[in-house]
Amino acid sequence: MGGIAAGFLWTAQGAYFSRNAALYAEAAGISKEQATLTFAGWFALPYLGFEVVFKLLQSYIGLDSGPLSAGWAQGKNFIYVINTICAVLAVFGCLRIMPLKEDDKEEDPGQMAAREPLLTIMTRQALAASKLFITDPKMPLMMSMNIAFGVTAAYINSYTTSVVATHFLGSGYAGYLAAITAGVAALLSFPLTNLGLITSGLCGMELSKETEKSFKRSAMVVGPICFALVSLLPIIMGYKSSGIGNWGGLVLLYVLQGVGRGVWEATNKAIFADYFAYDTVGGFSNMIIQNGGASTVCFFIDLKTVGLEPVGKDCTCSEWGSKKCIQGSCPAYSAMGWAGIAFSVLAVLGFVLATMLHQRGIKNWDGLLGRIPEDKDKQGELHEPLALEEGDYEGHENQK
C-alpha cells in the first residue's frame, strides 16, 4: 500500500513541482533553472525535517524499553494513531492543492481527455517512464545516481542498522541513527540549492550564474562520493571495535549517507526537472523506479542461502559489556558494498556525460548521432528557404 501511494505521489509531485517552478520563474523574472533549484531546497527541508521528527518519535515512544525510550507499553500502538492522523490530514491537504495554469504550448488536458478513453490516457502515462528511458540518452546516464542511493540505503538500513549497530552499540538506537541521516540531509538540502540566496543575504555578495552552476555540479559529484564511502569504509576498515564498529565510526557512515541523500533529494531532483523539463512525468517516474527498484532488489534477494549476507550470528565478540560487544567484529557485506561503489562511480561519469548532452540540447538518439538538429530554432534556420534579392533571382533565372 505504501509503495503504491508513493508511486502516485512522487510522480505527480515531480510534474507539479516542475510546472510550479516554471510559473514562478515567469512571475519573478528569473530563469527556470534558478527557480527549480530554489524550490528543490524549500521542498526537501520540511520533508526531511518531518522525517527526523517521526524517526525520533518511533524510537522514543514506539519502543517500550531501551536506553532512550519513554518506557511506554502502549507507545507502539500510539505511533500508528499518530501516523493515521497525519495521513488523513495529508489527504485533506492534497484536496486543497491549487490547480496550475497549463503551458500555452501544451494541449488542454480536458480536451485530450474528451477525445481519448481513460484507459488510453492511463496506459500512455504508465509507459512514459520506459519511453523516456529508451528515447533520451541522458536518462540511462543519470540512472546510476538513483541506483547508488537505493543500494546504499538498503545496505545501511538492512545490515548496518539492524545487525552491526545492535552488536556494537546495543538495541534501541536504530531510529536515532536513521535520524542522523535525515537530519544531515535536511540541513544540507537548502544550502545545496540556494547558495546564491544565502551568500546574498549574509554577505551581500551576488554569485555569478557560472559559480552557482559549478557549485551545483560539484554537489552532484560529492553526493556519489559519499555513497561510495558508505560502502568502501566497511570493506577497508572492517566492522570491528578498532575500525568503524564504534560510535564514532558508525555515526560517520550515517553522516556520509545523509550528505549523499541531501544531494539526491534536492540537487538531483532539480537537475532531473531541468534536464527532462519536456517530460517531467517520465523523468520523475524513472527516478522513483530506479531508486525504489534498486532498494527492493537489495532488500529481497535472499543471499543467506549462499553465505554472502552477514547476519547477527556471524558477528564475533571476545568481550561483552552491558548487552553490547566491547571487542569483536562483524563481516562486511562486500557483495552489496561493491555494488554501491560501482554505481557511485558510474553516477559521476554518467552525470558528466549527461550534462554535456544537455548543454548541446540533445533529447534523443537522433540528435546524439547528428541526424537532426535538436533545437527547433536551428531546424527552422536549416530548412527555411534562403531569401534572394531581386537581382540575384534574375541572375538565377538566367543561369537556368
Side-chain angles (χ1 to χ4, degrees):
M1 293 289 290
I4 294 173
F8 282 107
L9 179 63
W10 287 116
T11 303
Q13 179 262 338
Y16 190 89
F17 166 87
S18 181
R19 185 64 191 138
N20 204 348
L23 292 173
Y24 178 80
E26 181 181 347
I30 60 176
S31 67
K32 183 182 177 183
E33 182 180 7
Q34 182 179 353
T36 301
L37 280 171
T38 302
F39 275 35
W42 282 116
F43 167 78
L45 182 61
Y47 165 65
L48 293 167
F50 277 112
E51 182 177 334
V52 172
V53 172
F54 276 86
K55 287 185 182 298
L56 294 177
L57 283 175
Q58 176 183 335
S59 295
Y60 184 71
I61 299 178
L63 298 177
D64 56 4
S65 63
L68 296 174
S69 169
W72 184 16
Q74 300 299 321
K76 182 178 180 180
N77 295 331
F78 190 69
I79 287 293
Y80 294 131
V81 174
I82 295 175
N83 291 345
T84 301
I85 293 174
C86 291
V88 172
L89 291 176
V91 170
F92 285 103
C94 288
L95 294 175
R96 301 296 300 173
I97 293 177
M98 179 185 298
L100 296 180
K101 172 187 163 185
E102 293 293 329
D103 192 344
D104 294 336
K105 297 180 180 179
E106 296 176 356
E107 186 175 13
D108 181 72
Q111 296 176 358
M112 183 182 296
R115 294 198 314 269
E116 295 182 339
L118 178 60
L119 180 60
T120 303
I121 298 174
M122 293 178 63
T123 303
R124 185 180 62 250
Q125 296 290 352
L127 295 177
S130 58
K131 179 182 178 181
L132 182 63
F133 184 86
I134 295 172
T135 58
D136 194 331
K138 298 192 299 295
M139 183 56 74
L141 293 173
M142 291 292 293
M143 73 176 181
S144 294
M145 177 66 168
N146 303 319
I147 296 177
F149 173 45
V151 171
T152 55
Y155 176 64
I156 202 169
N157 290 327
S158 66
Y159 178 55
T160 306
T161 302
S162 62
V163 177
V164 178
T166 302
H167 185 71
F168 289 106
L169 307 181
S171 60
Y173 294 105
Y176 296 102
L177 292 172
I180 293 175
T181 294
V184 170
L187 292 175
L188 289 179
S189 59
F190 190 79
L192 284 172
T193 53
N194 292 274
L195 181 64
L197 181 63
I198 294 174
T199 55
S200 176
L202 296 179
C203 308
M205 180 178 62
E206 296 290 338
L207 294 181
S208 65
K209 292 183 178 180
E210 287 302 320
T211 301
E212 292 192 39
K213 286 183 178 180
S214 298
F215 181 78
K216 178 180 67 174
R217 293 167 185 169
S218 299
M220 287 295 291
V221 174
V222 172
I225 289 176
C226 291
F227 287 146
L229 290 175
V230 171
S231 302
L232 185 61
L233 290 179
I235 295 175
I236 295 177
M237 301 179 65
Y239 284 121
K240 51 188 178 181
S241 303
S242 58
I244 56 174
N246 50 62
W247 271 106
L250 291 174
V251 168
L252 174 61
L253 291 183
Y254 287 93
V255 169
L256 289 171
Q257 182 70 6
V259 174
R261 186 180 176 189
V263 173
W264 188 85
E265 293 284 4
T267 311
N268 185 60
K269 288 183 177 179
I271 286 179
F272 259 71
D274 185 26
Y275 285 15
F276 307 102
Y278 66 96
D279 187 1
T280 53
V281 173
F284 278 81
S285 296
N286 269 278
M287 180 186 295
I288 301 306
I289 291 171
Q290 293 158 11
N291 170 249
S295 292
T296 300
V297 170
C298 292
F299 272 121
F300 286 100
I301 288 183
D302 188 3
L303 298 178
K304 296 184 179 68
T305 56
V306 292
L308 294 179
E309 181 183 5
V311 291
K313 64 181 181 181
D314 295 327
C315 298
T316 61
C317 187
S318 59
E319 181 182 351
W320 288 91
S322 185
K323 297 183 179 180
K324 62 181 181 180
C325 181
I326 305 299
Q327 291 292 331
S329 65
C330 289
Y333 189 173
S334 58
M336 189 182 293
W338 283 115
I341 295 169
F343 281 110
S344 297
V345 173
L346 292 174
V348 176
L349 297 176
F351 171 69
V352 172
L353 294 175
T355 299
M356 295 171 61
L357 298 182
H358 177 67
Q359 290 175 337
R360 292 171 55 190
I362 292 176
K363 300 177 183 177
N364 53 49
W365 290 98
D366 287 332
L368 178 62
L369 299 175
R371 295 172 183 169
I372 58 173
E374 286 293 323
D375 193 330
K376 293 182 179 179
D377 294 333
K378 293 180 180 179
Q379 289 180 4
E381 292 174 3
L382 291 177
H383 296 289
E384 184 178 353
L386 293 175
L388 299 177
E389 297 291 339
E390 184 177 356
D392 295 334
Y393 179 78
E394 292 175 356
H396 179 66
E397 288 295 317
N398 293 333
Q399 291 177 4
K400 291 174 64 177

